[in-house]
Amino acid sequence: MPDMSSSAALAMTHLVPLAEVDENKVTPGVLGFIVFAVMALAVWGLMKSMSKQMNKVDFKEAPDPTTTAESEAAVVDSQAKQG
């Protein structure tokens, strides 16, 4: 059975050029990740709060008392004309 440590060392040798860092390249780094994570948590919290508030809202509209009185009068008038 071949020695795995030599093949692992050879693989690492081929990956070293990929790991070189260009000093002129700007990356977000850890601070960028932390800011992104905090913003994601804030959006999640706001969405959860909005969902809770929307569940409290009653979308059924109460009937307007003046409209119901007028409609009842119209029904009585139409029945009187037919009768």
Side-chain angles (χ1 to χ4, degrees):
M1 185 162 169
D3 186 21
M4 289 295 180
S5 62
S6 63
S7 62
L10 182 62
M12 291 301 291
T13 307
H14 288 289
L15 292 177
V16 169
L18 297 176
E20 290 180 9
V21 177
D22 184 12
E23 295 296 326
N24 295 324
K25 185 177 180 182
V26 178
T27 59
V30 176
L31 180 62
F33 174 74
I34 291 171
V35 169
F36 180 78
V38 167
M39 289 175 59
L41 286 173
V43 168
W44 177 76
L46 287 171
M47 292 294 288
K48 189 171 181 173
S49 175
M50 183 186 70
S51 176
K52 187 185 297 184
Q53 295 299 321
M54 291 299 285
N55 286 334
K56 289 181 182 179
V57 175
D58 183 20
F59 287 106
K60 294 184 180 179
E61 189 173 318
D64 189 15
T66 58
T67 306
T68 55
E70 291 171 359
S71 64
E72 288 174 3
V75 169
V76 170
D77 289 340
S78 66
Q79 287 176 352
K81 290 179 184 176
Q82 290 176 357

